[in-house]
Amino acid sequence: MGRSVGAAICLALVLSGCGTQIERADIARAAGEVVPDTGANPGTGTGTDPAVAGGGEVAAPGSVPVAPGSSPVVPGATPVPGTPATAAPGGGRTNPTTPNTTKPGAGAPQVATKSEIKLGHIGTYSGVLGAIFNGGREMTAVWANWVNLKGGLNGHPVRVITADDGGDPSRNLSLTRDLVENQGVVAFVGNITPLSLNGAKAYLEQKQIPIVGGDLTDVGWYQSPMFFPQGALIDGPLRGSAALAVKHGGPKVALLYCGEAAACYRARDLFQGDAVTKAGGQLAYSAQVSLAQPDFTAECLQLRFREIDALVATVDGNSLARIARDCKQQNVDVQYVSFALALVDSLRQSPHLDGLVGTTGLFPWMLRDKEAADYGAALARFGPRINTSGSTAAVWGSGLLLQAASRGLPAGTVTSADILDGLYALKKENLGGLAPPLTFRKGQPAPMMTCWYTIALNKGVFSTPSGLKYTC
């Protein structure tokens, strides 16, 4: 048969942070600080409520946890590689550390001198999808360090407490309740909970506690007045990927969707609906697969037998690489399309994915200058070894949304109501050019947004063919 072209759409992200860090106490002693001997091992969670199992330690005032792949620092110091901190079983705990007070080439930073703001971050960092989403936890620490370095939220230093819900909605509710009632959290930022978003929905609505940004893979993001998305729902990138699949591949489209996540079924419903036909193609083949599936030879043979032009696969990045490998072995010459959180920097290393085109409802994560200059600088300083991806962009964009909502925060103690007032005050907020215009109305869910950006991979380099121009 002629050249078969595949478009693979992946839902979950594969991101493994690597790198090292010196123990905070050792660095502090080297800097002349007096460090009490607590008798606790780093990363064990001493000082946190037992209910927040898998959660991050409460940092000292004005400090934040540092992500794996970055280096903890002390006043006047520069990042120094060292020994990685030990995470507690279940993940989520990181050691508190004090952010830098200098910026290379920019003199002293702003100082956050007002009352501290406690924020929560819940992610799915264990279980079947745990390792896939770990970048969200890492980027939360990067963002918090950067914000404190730049003067906090309108002068208020932030303290972020992370927790791992393992994808369990009931556990999500338990963790949310503990963070609010026992830890004093007034808002959540950048939650990565594709399986458990709605677990605490009713509680958050009752208590009027906002979640500011997150993974945006669940339609529930647009069904609660306490959820504030920082970009477009996954439907946008999915429909955009269908359009690119037909444009770059051809009219005959196949769908392989995972059975582990609800968002995979969302892709199935959209593609079995009108996503492909509206793009000018037809869905000629569909089948359910598993993220743990080691071999996709049978599916690749089906692509060849049915003369499929475009393959849409809602899987993780590792599965995408295995599909590319197995289809290459069956002489199916594929050109892939990926989308959203599945777009990860490590895909550059696959020998069969050159020429990939993808879509994302969040700003393209590989940007480092112009509108994304702070994002690039924060990564360079606090997470230089993080494998960036859609999830790092998701958390950074969430942080930007919270920063925008904090412009009018009072000088005294900040409450959830203050943050909500700031969110409701936003009109056509584009996060410095990194998002389509965002507007929120009191007591109403966020307006549905289905915009997307285009991403390409050529010769091992990711780029944005259309820059920050989005399609809706």
Side-chain angles (χ1 to χ4, degrees):
M1 57 170 283
R3 179 176 181 266
S4 296
V5 182
I9 300 178
C10 314
L11 172 66
L13 84 98
V14 175
L15 192 155
S16 58
C18 58
T20 58
Q21 61 185 48
I22 296 175
E23 300 297 353
R24 174 179 180 272
D26 292 339
I27 299 178
R29 291 188 184 96
E33 292 186 19
V34 177
V35 182
D37 184 2
T38 63
N41 293 326
T44 61
T46 301
T48 63
D49 190 282
V52 192
E57 281 191 358
V58 180
S63 67
V64 293
V66 166
S70 63
S71 299
V73 289
V74 295
T78 56
V80 182
T83 304
T86 302
R93 297 195 185 282
T94 52
N95 292 322
T97 185
T98 305
N100 298 64
T101 58
T102 59
K103 179 181 179 182
Q110 303 173 43
V111 179
T113 59
K114 300 177 183 178
S115 59
E116 180 186 78
I117 299 175
K118 290 184 180 180
L119 303 170
H121 172 82
I122 298 179
T124 298
Y125 298 129
S126 60
V128 65
L129 297 178
I132 297 174
F133 296 108
N134 194 51
R137 175 169 49 195
E138 297 177 330
M139 197 65 204
T140 300
V142 171
W143 171 79
N145 269 298
W146 182 258
V147 166
N148 280 345
L149 184 71
K150 305 296 285 186
L153 297 178
N154 198 30
H156 295 270
V158 300
R159 177 190 302 208
V160 177
I161 308 171
T162 63
D164 168 25
D165 70 6
D168 181 353
S170 297
R171 181 169 173 75
N172 182 280
L173 172 59
S174 175
L175 291 169
T176 299
R177 187 188 301 274
D178 182 80
L179 287 168
V180 171
E181 298 178 6
N182 298 324
Q183 306 293 340
V185 162
V186 298
F188 292 84
V189 60
N191 283 9
I192 306 295
T193 52
L195 304 180
S196 50
L197 171 68
N198 292 311
K201 175 183 174 182
Y203 175 81
L204 293 169
E205 291 174 354
Q206 176 190 3
K207 296 292 185 179
Q208 294 289 287
I209 308 290
I211 298 180
V212 184
D215 58 89
L216 308 189
T217 60
D218 191 314
V219 70
W221 276 100
Y222 295 85
Q223 296 177 341
S224 173
M226 288 300 105
F227 297 164
F228 295 85
Q230 82 283 13
L233 177 67
I234 197 172
D235 290 27
L238 280 170
R239 291 185 178 276
S241 294
L244 290 182
V246 174
K247 177 180 178 180
H248 291 270
K252 297 184 70 174
V253 177
L255 173 69
L256 299 180
Y257 59 94
C258 80
E260 287 87 349
C264 294
Y265 295 103
R266 181 67 177 171
R268 178 201 63 185
D269 294 343
L270 286 174
F271 276 80
Q272 290 183 356
D274 61 4
V276 180
T277 56
K278 279 191 173 182
Q282 65 178 97
L283 185 63
Y285 170 64
S286 65
Q288 181 176 314
V289 297
S290 171
L291 300 180
Q293 189 169 325
D295 186 90
F296 293 91
T297 298
E299 287 78 12
C300 293
L301 290 173
Q302 285 292 329
L303 301 183
R304 190 172 67 182
F305 174 75
R306 297 169 186 265
E307 298 185 347
I308 295 296
D309 297 313
L311 169 65
V312 176
T314 56
V315 296
D316 65 289
N318 278 340
S319 297
L320 172 58
R322 294 196 298 274
I323 290 171
R325 175 202 66 194
D326 295 341
C327 285
K328 186 67 174 180
Q329 291 175 353
Q330 299 304 318
N331 296 317
V332 179
D333 189 11
V334 296
Q335 178 179 341
Y336 291 93
V337 176
S338 184
F339 85 103
L341 296 184
L343 289 165
V344 294
D345 197 57
S346 59
L347 292 178
R348 297 183 297 108
Q349 302 170 9
S350 173
H352 308 305
L353 291 176
D354 192 57
L356 175 149
V357 178
T359 60
T360 177
L362 308 167
F363 77 88
W365 85 91
M366 75 292 301
L367 297 179
R368 295 292 189 277
D369 58 6
K370 297 182 179 178
E371 292 90 342
D374 280 355
Y375 170 72
L379 279 167
R381 188 179 186 92
F382 297 111
R385 297 179 182 88
I386 290 178
N387 182 15
T388 54
S389 65
S391 72
T392 57
V395 170
W396 184 262
S398 300
L400 290 181
L401 179 56
L402 183 56
Q403 289 170 250
S406 300
R407 294 167 185 153
L409 289 180
T413 300
V414 174
T415 66
S416 301
D418 294 324
I419 293 176
L420 285 170
D421 287 343
L423 288 163
Y424 295 137
L426 298 178
K427 306 299 178 186
K428 297 183 178 180
E429 172 63 47
N430 70 356
L431 306 183
L434 294 181
L438 303 171
T439 298
F440 305 104
R441 295 178 175 84
K442 187 174 183 177
Q444 299 181 25
M448 185 79 72
M449 186 182 299
T450 56
C451 303
W452 49 277
Y453 302 93
T454 302
I455 292 174
L457 174 62
N458 291 290
K459 296 182 179 180
V461 177
F462 274 108
S463 64
T464 56
S466 301
L468 284 171
K469 180 181 179 181
Y470 54 83
T471 302
C472 295

